[in-house]
Coordinates of all heavy atoms in Angstrom, one line a residue:
E20 N -30.0 -27.3 -27.4 CA -28.8 -27.1 -26.6 C -27.7 -27.9 -27.0 O -27.8 -29.1 -27.3 CB -29.2 -27.4 -25.1 CG -30.2 -26.5 -24.5 CD -30.4 -26.8 -23.0 OE1 -29.4 -27.1 -22.4 OE2 -31.6 -26.6 -22.6
V21 N -26.5 -27.3 -26.9 CA -25.3 -28.0 -27.3 C -24.5 -28.4 -26.1 O -24.2 -27.5 -25.3 CB -24.4 -27.2 -28.3 CG1 -23.1 -27.9 -28.6 CG2 -25.2 -26.8 -29.5
A22 N -24.2 -29.7 -25.9 CA -23.5 -30.1 -24.7 C -22.0 -29.8 -24.9 O -21.4 -30.0 -25.9 CB -23.7 -31.6 -24.5
L23 N -21.4 -29.3 -23.8 CA -20.0 -29.0 -23.9 C -19.2 -30.1 -23.3 O -18.4 -30.8 -23.9 CB -19.7 -27.7 -23.1 CG -18.2 -27.2 -23.2 CD1 -17.8 -26.9 -24.6 CD2 -18.1 -26.0 -22.3
F24 N -19.4 -30.4 -22.0 CA -18.7 -31.5 -21.3 C -19.7 -32.2 -20.5 O -20.4 -31.6 -19.6 CB -17.6 -31.0 -20.3 CG -16.4 -30.4 -21.0 CD1 -16.2 -29.0 -20.9 CD2 -15.6 -31.1 -21.8 CE1 -15.1 -28.5 -21.5 CE2 -14.5 -30.6 -22.4 CZ -14.2 -29.2 -22.3
Y25 N -19.8 -33.5 -20.6 CA -20.7 -34.4 -19.8 C -22.1 -33.8 -19.5 O -22.4 -33.5 -18.4 CB -20.0 -34.7 -18.5 CG -18.6 -35.3 -18.6 CD1 -17.5 -34.5 -18.4 CD2 -18.5 -36.6 -19.0 CE1 -16.2 -35.1 -18.5 CE2 -17.2 -37.2 -19.2 CZ -16.1 -36.4 -18.9 OH -14.9 -37.0 -19.1
R26 N -22.8 -33.5 -20.5 CA -24.2 -33.0 -20.5 C -24.3 -31.6 -19.9 O -25.3 -31.2 -19.3 CB -25.0 -34.0 -19.6 CG -25.2 -35.3 -20.2 CD -26.1 -36.2 -19.4 NE -26.1 -37.5 -19.9 CZ -26.7 -38.5 -19.4 NH1 -27.5 -38.3 -18.3 NH2 -26.7 -39.7 -19.8
V27 N -23.3 -30.8 -19.9 CA -23.3 -29.4 -19.4 C -23.5 -28.6 -20.7 O -22.6 -28.6 -21.6 CB -22.1 -29.0 -18.7 CG1 -22.1 -27.5 -18.3 CG2 -21.9 -29.9 -17.4
S28 N -24.6 -27.8 -20.8 CA -24.8 -27.0 -21.9 C -24.0 -25.6 -21.8 O -23.6 -25.2 -20.7 CB -26.3 -26.7 -22.1 OG -26.8 -25.9 -21.1
M29 N -23.9 -24.9 -22.9 CA -23.3 -23.6 -22.9 C -24.0 -22.6 -22.0 O -23.5 -21.8 -21.4 CB -23.1 -23.1 -24.3 CG -22.1 -23.9 -25.2 SD -20.5 -23.8 -24.5 CE -20.1 -22.1 -24.9
I30 N -25.4 -22.7 -22.0 CA -26.2 -21.9 -21.2 C -25.9 -22.1 -19.7 O -25.8 -21.1 -18.9 CB -27.7 -22.1 -21.5 CG1 -27.9 -21.6 -23.0 CG2 -28.6 -21.3 -20.6 CD1 -29.3 -21.9 -23.5
D31 N -25.9 -23.4 -19.3 CA -25.6 -23.7 -17.9 C -24.2 -23.2 -17.5 O -24.0 -22.7 -16.4 CB -25.8 -25.2 -17.7 CG -27.2 -25.6 -17.8 OD1 -28.1 -24.8 -17.6 OD2 -27.4 -26.8 -18.0
L32 N -23.2 -23.4 -18.4 CA -21.9 -23.0 -18.1 C -21.8 -21.5 -18.0 O -21.1 -20.9 -17.1 CB -20.9 -23.4 -19.2 CG -19.5 -23.1 -19.0 CD1 -18.9 -23.8 -17.8 CD2 -18.7 -23.5 -20.2
H33 N -22.5 -20.8 -18.8 CA -22.6 -19.3 -18.7 C -23.2 -18.8 -17.5 O -22.7 -17.9 -16.8 CB -23.3 -18.7 -20.0 CG -23.3 -17.3 -20.0 ND1 -24.4 -16.5 -19.6 CD2 -22.4 -16.4 -20.5 CE1 -24.1 -15.2 -19.7 NE2 -22.9 -15.1 -20.3
L34 N -24.3 -19.4 -17.1 CA -25.0 -19.1 -15.8 C -24.1 -19.3 -14.6 O -24.0 -18.5 -13.7 CB -26.3 -19.8 -15.7 CG -27.4 -19.5 -16.6 CD1 -28.6 -20.4 -16.5 CD2 -27.9 -18.1 -16.4
F35 N -23.4 -20.4 -14.6 CA -22.6 -20.8 -13.5 C -21.4 -19.8 -13.4 O -21.0 -19.3 -12.3 CB -22.0 -22.2 -13.6 CG -21.1 -22.6 -12.5 CD1 -21.5 -22.8 -11.2 CD2 -19.7 -22.7 -12.8 CE1 -20.6 -23.2 -10.2 CE2 -18.8 -23.1 -11.8 CZ -19.3 -23.3 -10.5
S36 N -20.8 -19.5 -14.6 CA -19.6 -18.6 -14.5 C -19.9 -17.2 -14.1 O -19.2 -16.6 -13.4 CB -18.9 -18.6 -15.9 OG -19.8 -18.1 -16.9
Y37 N -21.1 -16.7 -14.6 CA -21.4 -15.3 -14.1 C -21.8 -15.3 -12.7 O -21.6 -14.3 -12.0 CB -22.4 -14.6 -15.1 CG -23.8 -14.7 -14.7 CD1 -24.4 -14.0 -13.7 CD2 -24.6 -15.6 -15.5 CE1 -25.8 -14.1 -13.4 CE2 -26.0 -15.6 -15.2 CZ -26.5 -14.9 -14.2 OH -27.9 -15.0 -13.9
Q38 N -22.3 -16.4 -12.1 CA -22.7 -16.4 -10.7 C -21.4 -16.4 -9.9 O -21.3 -15.8 -8.8 CB -23.6 -17.6 -10.4 CG -25.0 -17.4 -10.9 CD -25.8 -18.7 -10.7 OE1 -25.3 -19.8 -10.4 NE2 -27.1 -18.5 -10.9
V39 N -20.4 -17.2 -10.3 CA -19.1 -17.2 -9.6 C -18.4 -15.9 -9.6 O -18.0 -15.4 -8.6 CB -18.2 -18.3 -10.2 CG1 -16.8 -18.2 -9.7 CG2 -18.8 -19.7 -9.9
I40 N -18.4 -15.2 -10.8 CA -17.8 -13.9 -10.9 C -18.6 -12.9 -10.1 O -18.0 -12.0 -9.4 CB -17.7 -13.5 -12.4 CG1 -16.7 -14.4 -13.1 CG2 -17.3 -12.0 -12.5 CD1 -16.7 -14.2 -14.6
G41 N -19.9 -12.9 -10.1 CA -20.7 -12.0 -9.3 C -20.5 -12.2 -7.8 O -20.3 -11.2 -7.1
L42 N -20.4 -13.4 -7.4 CA -20.2 -13.7 -6.0 C -18.8 -13.2 -5.5 O -18.6 -12.6 -4.5 CB -20.4 -15.2 -5.7 CG -20.1 -15.6 -4.2 CD1 -21.2 -15.0 -3.3 CD2 -20.2 -17.1 -4.1
F43 N -17.8 -13.5 -6.4 CA -16.5 -13.0 -6.1 C -16.4 -11.5 -6.0 O -15.8 -10.9 -5.1 CB -15.5 -13.5 -7.1 CG -14.1 -13.0 -7.0 CD1 -13.2 -13.5 -6.0 CD2 -13.6 -11.9 -7.7 CE1 -12.0 -12.9 -5.8 CE2 -12.4 -11.4 -7.6 CZ -11.5 -11.9 -6.6
S44 N -17.1 -10.8 -6.9 CA -17.1 -9.3 -6.9 C -17.7 -8.8 -5.6 O -17.2 -7.8 -5.0 CB -17.8 -8.8 -8.1 OG -17.2 -9.2 -9.3
V45 N -18.8 -9.3 -5.2 CA -19.5 -8.9 -4.0 C -18.6 -9.1 -2.8 O -18.4 -8.2 -1.9 CB -20.9 -9.5 -3.9 CG1 -21.5 -9.3 -2.5 CG2 -21.8 -9.1 -4.9
L46 N -18.0 -10.3 -2.7 CA -17.2 -10.6 -1.5 C -15.9 -9.7 -1.5 O -15.4 -9.3 -0.5 CB -16.8 -12.1 -1.5 CG -17.9 -13.1 -1.2 CD1 -17.4 -14.5 -1.4 CD2 -18.5 -12.8 0.1
H47 N -15.4 -9.4 -2.7 CA -14.2 -8.6 -2.8 C -14.5 -7.2 -2.4 O -13.8 -6.6 -1.6 CB -13.7 -8.6 -4.3 CG -12.5 -7.7 -4.5 ND1 -11.3 -8.1 -4.1 CD2 -12.4 -6.5 -5.1 CE1 -10.4 -7.2 -4.4 NE2 -11.0 -6.2 -5.0
L48 N -15.7 -6.6 -2.8 CA -16.1 -5.3 -2.3 C -16.3 -5.2 -0.8 O -15.9 -4.3 -0.2 CB -17.3 -4.8 -3.0 CG -17.2 -4.4 -4.5 CD1 -18.5 -4.1 -5.1 CD2 -16.3 -3.2 -4.6
L49 N -16.9 -6.2 -0.3 CA -17.1 -6.3 1.2 C -15.7 -6.3 1.9 O -15.5 -5.7 2.9 CB -17.9 -7.5 1.6 CG -19.4 -7.4 1.2 CD1 -20.1 -8.7 1.5 CD2 -20.1 -6.3 1.9
A50 N -14.8 -7.1 1.4 CA -13.5 -7.2 2.0 C -12.7 -5.9 1.9 O -12.0 -5.5 2.8 CB -12.7 -8.3 1.3
V51 N -12.9 -5.2 0.8 CA -12.2 -3.9 0.6 C -12.7 -2.9 1.6 O -12.0 -2.2 2.2 CB -12.4 -3.4 -0.9 CG1 -12.1 -1.9 -1.0 CG2 -11.5 -4.2 -1.8
F52 N -14.0 -2.8 1.7 CA -14.6 -1.8 2.7 C -14.3 -2.2 4.1 O -14.0 -1.3 5.0 CB -16.1 -1.7 2.5 CG -16.5 -1.0 1.3 CD1 -17.3 -1.5 0.3 CD2 -16.1 0.4 1.1 CE1 -17.6 -0.8 -0.8 CE2 -16.4 1.1 0.0 CZ -17.2 0.5 -1.0
A53 N -14.2 -3.5 4.4 CA -13.8 -3.9 5.8 C -12.4 -3.5 6.1 O -12.0 -3.1 7.2 CB -14.0 -5.4 6.0
H54 N -11.5 -3.7 5.1 CA -10.1 -3.4 5.2 C -9.9 -1.8 5.4 O -9.1 -1.4 6.3 CB -9.3 -3.8 4.0 CG -7.9 -3.4 4.1 ND1 -6.9 -3.9 4.9 CD2 -7.2 -2.4 3.4 CE1 -5.8 -3.3 4.7 NE2 -5.9 -2.4 3.8
D55 N -10.7 -1.1 4.7 CA -10.6 0.4 4.8 C -11.1 0.9 6.1 O -10.6 1.8 6.7 CB -11.3 1.0 3.6 CG -11.1 2.5 3.5 OD1 -9.9 2.9 3.6 OD2 -12.0 3.3 3.4
A56 N -12.2 0.2 6.6 CA -12.7 0.7 7.9 C -11.8 0.3 9.0 O -11.7 1.0 10.0 CB -14.1 0.0 8.1
G57 N -11.0 -0.8 8.9 CA -10.2 -1.2 10.0 C -8.8 -0.6 10.0 O -8.1 -0.7 11.0
S58 N -8.4 0.1 8.9 CA -7.1 0.6 8.8 C -7.1 2.1 9.2 O -8.1 2.7 9.2 CB -6.5 0.4 7.4 OG -7.1 1.2 6.5
T59 N -5.9 2.7 9.4 CA -5.8 4.1 9.7 C -5.4 4.9 8.5 O -5.3 6.2 8.6 CB -4.8 4.3 10.8 OG1 -3.5 3.8 10.4 CG2 -5.3 3.6 12.1
S60 N -5.0 4.3 7.4 CA -4.5 5.1 6.3 C -5.5 5.5 5.2 O -5.2 6.3 4.3 CB -3.4 4.3 5.6 OG -3.9 3.1 5.1
S61 N -6.7 4.9 5.2 CA -7.8 5.3 4.3 C -7.4 5.2 2.8 O -7.6 6.1 2.1 CB -8.3 6.7 4.6 OG -7.4 7.7 4.3
D62 N -6.8 4.1 2.4 CA -6.4 3.9 1.1 C -7.5 3.9 0.1 O -7.5 4.5 -0.9 CB -5.6 2.6 0.9 CG -4.3 2.6 1.7 OD1 -3.7 3.7 1.8 OD2 -3.8 1.6 2.1
I63 N -8.6 3.1 0.4 CA -9.7 3.0 -0.5 C -10.5 4.3 -0.5 O -11.0 4.7 -1.5 CB -10.6 1.8 0.0 CG1 -9.7 0.5 0.1 CG2 -11.7 1.6 -1.0 CD1 -8.9 0.2 -1.2
S64 N -10.7 4.9 0.7 CA -11.5 6.1 0.7 C -10.8 7.2 -0.1 O -11.5 8.0 -0.7 CB -11.6 6.6 2.1 OG -12.4 5.7 2.9
G65 N -9.5 7.2 -0.1 CA -8.7 8.1 -1.0 C -9.0 8.0 -2.4 O -9.0 8.9 -3.2
M66 N -9.2 6.7 -2.9 CA -9.5 6.5 -4.3 C -10.9 6.9 -4.6 O -11.1 7.3 -5.8 CB -9.3 5.0 -4.6 CG -7.9 4.5 -4.7 SD -7.8 2.9 -5.3 CE -7.5 2.0 -3.7
I67 N -11.8 6.9 -3.7 CA -13.2 7.2 -4.0 C -13.4 8.7 -3.9 O -14.0 9.3 -4.8 CB -14.1 6.5 -3.0 CG1 -14.0 5.0 -3.2 CG2 -15.5 6.9 -3.1 CD1 -14.7 4.1 -2.2
N68 N -13.0 9.4 -2.8 CA -13.3 10.8 -2.6 C -12.1 11.7 -2.8 O -12.3 12.9 -2.8 CB -13.9 11.0 -1.2 CG -13.0 10.7 -0.1 OD1 -11.8 10.6 -0.3 ND2 -13.6 10.5 1.1
G69 N -10.9 11.2 -3.0 CA -9.8 12.0 -3.3 C -9.0 12.5 -2.1 O -8.0 13.2 -2.3
F70 N -9.5 12.2 -0.9 CA -8.8 12.7 0.3 C -8.2 11.5 1.0 O -9.0 10.5 1.3 CB -9.8 13.4 1.2 CG -10.3 14.7 0.6 CD1 -11.5 14.8 0.1 CD2 -9.5 15.8 0.6 CE1 -12.0 15.9 -0.5 CE2 -9.9 17.0 0.0 CZ -11.2 17.0 -0.5
R71 N -7.0 11.5 1.3 CA -6.3 10.4 2.0 C -5.7 10.9 3.3 O -5.2 12.0 3.4 CB -5.2 9.8 1.1 CG -4.6 8.6 1.7 CD -3.9 7.8 0.6 NE -3.4 6.6 1.1 CZ -2.1 6.4 1.4 NH1 -1.2 7.3 1.3 NH2 -1.8 5.2 1.9
I72 N -5.6 10.0 4.3 CA -5.0 10.4 5.6 C -3.7 9.7 5.6 O -3.5 8.5 5.4 CB -5.9 9.9 6.7 CG1 -7.3 10.5 6.7 CG2 -5.2 10.1 8.1 CD1 -8.3 9.9 7.7
F73 N -2.7 10.5 5.9 CA -1.3 10.0 6.1 C -1.0 10.1 7.6 O -1.1 11.1 8.2 CB -0.3 10.8 5.3 CG -0.4 10.7 3.8 CD1 -1.2 11.6 3.1 CD2 0.2 9.7 3.2 CE1 -1.3 11.5 1.8 CE2 0.0 9.5 1.8 CZ -0.7 10.4 1.1
E74 N -0.5 8.9 8.1 CA -0.1 8.9 9.5 C 1.4 9.1 9.6 O 2.1 8.4 9.0 CB -0.5 7.5 10.1 CG -0.2 7.4 11.6 CD -0.7 6.0 12.1 OE1 -1.6 5.4 11.5 OE2 -0.2 5.6 13.1
V75 N 1.8 10.1 10.3 CA 3.2 10.5 10.4 C 3.6 10.3 11.8 O 3.0 10.8 12.8 CB 3.4 12.0 10.0 CG1 4.8 12.4 10.2 CG2 2.9 12.2 8.6
K76 N 4.7 9.5 12.0 CA 5.2 9.3 13.3 C 6.5 10.1 13.4 O 7.4 9.9 12.6 CB 5.5 7.8 13.5 CG 4.3 6.9 13.4 CD 4.6 5.5 13.6 CE 3.4 4.6 13.6 NZ 3.7 3.2 13.7
Q77 N 6.6 11.0 14.4 CA 7.7 11.8 14.6 C 8.6 11.2 15.7 O 8.0 11.0 16.8 CB 7.3 13.2 14.9 CG 6.6 13.9 13.7 CD 6.2 15.3 14.0 OE1 6.3 15.7 15.2 NE2 5.8 16.0 13.0
E78 N 9.8 11.1 15.4 CA 10.7 10.6 16.5 C 11.2 11.8 17.3 O 11.4 12.9 16.8 CB 11.9 9.9 15.9 CG 11.6 8.7 15.1 CD 12.8 8.0 14.6 OE1 13.9 8.3 15.0 OE2 12.7 7.1 13.7
T79 N 11.4 11.6 18.6 CA 11.9 12.6 19.5 C 13.4 12.8 19.2 O 14.1 11.8 19.1 CB 11.6 12.3 20.9 OG1 12.2 11.0 21.2 CG2 10.1 12.2 21.2
P80 N 13.9 14.0 19.1 CA 15.3 14.2 18.9 C 16.1 13.7 20.1 O 15.7 13.9 21.2 CB 15.4 15.7 18.6 CG 14.2 16.3 19.3 CD 13.1 15.2 19.2
K81 N 17.3 13.2 19.8 CA 18.1 12.7 20.8 C 18.8 14.0 21.4 O 19.2 14.9 20.8 CB 19.2 11.8 20.3 CG 18.6 10.5 19.8 CD 19.7 9.6 19.3 CE 19.1 8.3 18.7 NZ 20.1 7.4 18.2
Q82 N 19.0 13.9 22.8 CA 19.5 15.1 23.5 C 21.0 15.1 23.5 O 21.7 16.1 23.7 CB 19.0 15.1 24.9 CG 17.5 15.2 25.0 CD 17.0 16.5 24.4 OE1 17.6 17.5 24.5 NE2 15.8 16.4 23.9
D83 N 21.7 14.0 23.2 CA 23.1 13.9 23.3 C 23.9 14.2 22.0 O 25.0 14.0 21.9 CB 23.6 12.5 23.8 CG 23.1 11.4 22.9 OD1 22.2 11.6 22.1 OD2 23.6 10.3 23.1
I84 N 23.2 14.7 21.0 CA 23.8 15.0 19.7 C 24.3 16.5 19.8 O 23.6 17.4 20.2 CB 22.8 14.9 18.5 CG1 22.4 13.4 18.4 CG2 23.4 15.4 17.3 CD1 21.3 13.2 17.3
Q85 N 25.5 16.7 19.4 CA 26.1 18.0 19.4 C 26.5 18.4 17.9 O 27.0 17.5 17.2 CB 27.4 18.0 20.3 CG 27.0 17.8 21.7 CD 28.3 17.8 22.6 OE1 29.4 17.9 22.1 NE2 28.1 17.7 23.9
A86 N 26.3 19.6 17.6 CA 26.6 20.0 16.2 C 27.9 20.9 16.3 O 28.0 21.7 17.2 CB 25.5 20.8 15.7
V87 N 28.8 20.7 15.3 CA 30.0 21.5 15.3 C 30.0 22.0 13.8 O 29.9 21.3 12.9 CB 31.2 20.6 15.5 CG1 32.5 21.4 15.4 CG2 31.1 20.0 16.9
G88 N 30.3 23.3 13.7 CA 30.4 24.0 12.4 C 31.7 23.7 11.7 O 32.7 23.3 12.3
L89 N 31.6 23.8 10.4 CA 32.8 23.5 9.6 C 33.9 24.5 9.9 O 35.1 24.1 9.9 CB 32.4 23.6 8.1 CG 33.5 23.2 7.1 CD1 34.1 21.8 7.3 CD2 33.0 23.4 5.7
E90 N 33.6 25.7 10.2 CA 34.6 26.7 10.5 C 35.4 26.3 11.7 O 36.6 26.4 11.8 CB 34.0 28.1 10.7 CG 33.4 28.7 9.4 CD 32.0 28.1 9.2 OE1 31.4 27.6 10.2 OE2 31.5 28.2 8.1
D91 N 34.7 25.8 12.7 CA 35.4 25.3 14.0 C 36.3 24.2 13.7 O 37.4 24.0 14.3 CB 34.4 25.0 15.0 CG 33.6 26.2 15.5 OD1 34.1 27.3 15.4 OD2 32.4 26.0 15.9
L92 N 35.9 23.3 12.8 CA 36.7 22.1 12.5 C 38.0 22.5 11.7 O 39.1 22.0 11.9 CB 35.9 21.1 11.7 CG 34.9 20.3 12.4 CD1 34.1 19.4 11.5 CD2 35.5 19.5 13.5
L93 N 37.8 23.5 10.8 CA 39.0 24.0 10.1 C 40.0 24.7 11.0 O 41.2 24.6 10.7 CB 38.5 24.9 9.0 CG 37.8 24.2 7.8 CD1 37.2 25.3 6.8 CD2 38.6 23.2 7.1
K94 N 39.6 25.3 12.0 CA 40.5 25.9 13.0 C 41.4 24.9 13.7 O 42.5 25.2 14.2 CB 39.8 26.7 14.0 CG 39.1 28.0 13.4 CD 38.3 28.7 14.5 CE 37.5 29.8 13.9 NZ 36.6 30.5 15.0
T95 N 41.0 23.7 13.8 CA 41.8 22.7 14.5 C 42.8 22.0 13.7 O 43.7 21.3 14.2 CB 40.8 21.6 15.1 OG1 40.2 20.9 14.0 CG2 39.8 22.1 16.0
I96 N 42.8 22.3 12.4 CA 43.8 21.7 11.5 C 45.1 22.5 11.5 O 45.0 23.7 11.3 CB 43.3 21.6 10.0 CG1 42.1 20.7 10.0 CG2 44.4 21.1 9.1 CD1 41.4 20.6 8.6
K97 N 46.2 21.9 11.8 CA 47.5 22.6 11.9 C 48.1 22.5 10.5 O 48.2 21.4 9.9 CB 48.4 21.9 12.9 CG 47.9 22.1 14.3 CD 48.9 21.4 15.3 CE 48.3 21.5 16.7 NZ 49.2 20.9 17.6
P98 N 48.5 23.6 9.9 CA 49.1 23.6 8.6 C 50.5 22.9 8.7 O 51.2 23.1 9.7 CB 49.2 25.0 8.2 CG 49.1 25.8 9.4 CD 48.3 25.0 10.4
K99 N 50.8 22.2 7.7 CA 52.2 21.5 7.6 C 53.2 22.5 7.2 O 53.0 23.4 6.4 CB 52.2 20.4 6.6 CG 51.4 19.2 7.0 CD 51.5 18.1 6.1 CE 50.8 16.8 6.5 NZ 51.0 15.7 5.6
K100 N 54.4 22.4 7.9 CA 55.5 23.3 7.5 C 56.2 22.7 6.3 O 56.4 21.5 6.2 CB 56.5 23.4 8.7 CG 55.9 24.0 9.9 CD 56.9 24.1 11.0 CE 56.4 24.7 12.2 NZ 57.3 24.7 13.4
P101 N 56.5 23.6 5.4 CA 57.2 23.1 4.2 C 58.6 22.6 4.6 O 59.3 23.2 5.4 CB 57.3 24.3 3.2 CG 57.0 25.5 4.0 CD 56.3 25.0 5.3
S102 N 59.0 21.5 3.9 CA 60.3 20.9 4.3 C 61.4 21.4 3.4 O 61.4 21.7 2.3 CB 60.4 19.4 4.2 OG 59.3 18.8 4.4

């Protein structure tokens, strides 16, 4: 065995690093599934099965809005008299 730092061999360093990466991967997957289960947008489920839910919030139209056509506005313009 070849020591790398302070009596730590390359084999021990390799074992430790893949355990850290493996633990991080498992915790990351659990966090992803927990986030997807708790949200309403199904981001992760959409990546897996191809179907995504979009939440659409529709605002109620305001009742005090009035529409005026362009033709009606043009009728209100008084033409200038040539001087």
Side-chain angles (χ1 to χ4, degrees):
E20 291 186 35
V21 178
L23 183 63
F24 292 114
Y25 304 107
R26 298 183 187 178
V27 176
S28 68
M29 291 297 287
I30 294 172
D31 292 336
L32 181 64
H33 184 262
L34 290 173
F35 177 73
S36 64
Y37 91 76
Q38 287 173 348
V39 168
I40 292 171
L42 180 65
F43 175 77
S44 299
V45 169
L46 292 176
H47 181 73
L48 285 173
L49 290 174
V51 164
F52 286 121
H54 174 74
D55 191 46
S58 70
T59 59
S60 61
S61 69
D62 295 330
I63 307 305
S64 298
M66 286 187 257
I67 294 171
N68 62 18
F70 297 103
R71 185 162 186 257
I72 298 171
F73 292 95
E74 186 175 334
V75 178
K76 295 180 182 177
Q77 295 181 348
E78 294 183 18
T79 57
K81 295 181 181 179
Q82 300 298 327
D83 58 343
I84 296 176
Q85 296 179 356
V87 177
L89 183 59
E90 295 82 19
D91 295 330
L92 288 176
L93 289 174
K94 291 177 186 176
T95 62
I96 298 175
K97 295 180 182 177
K99 289 186 178 181
K100 295 180 182 178
S102 336

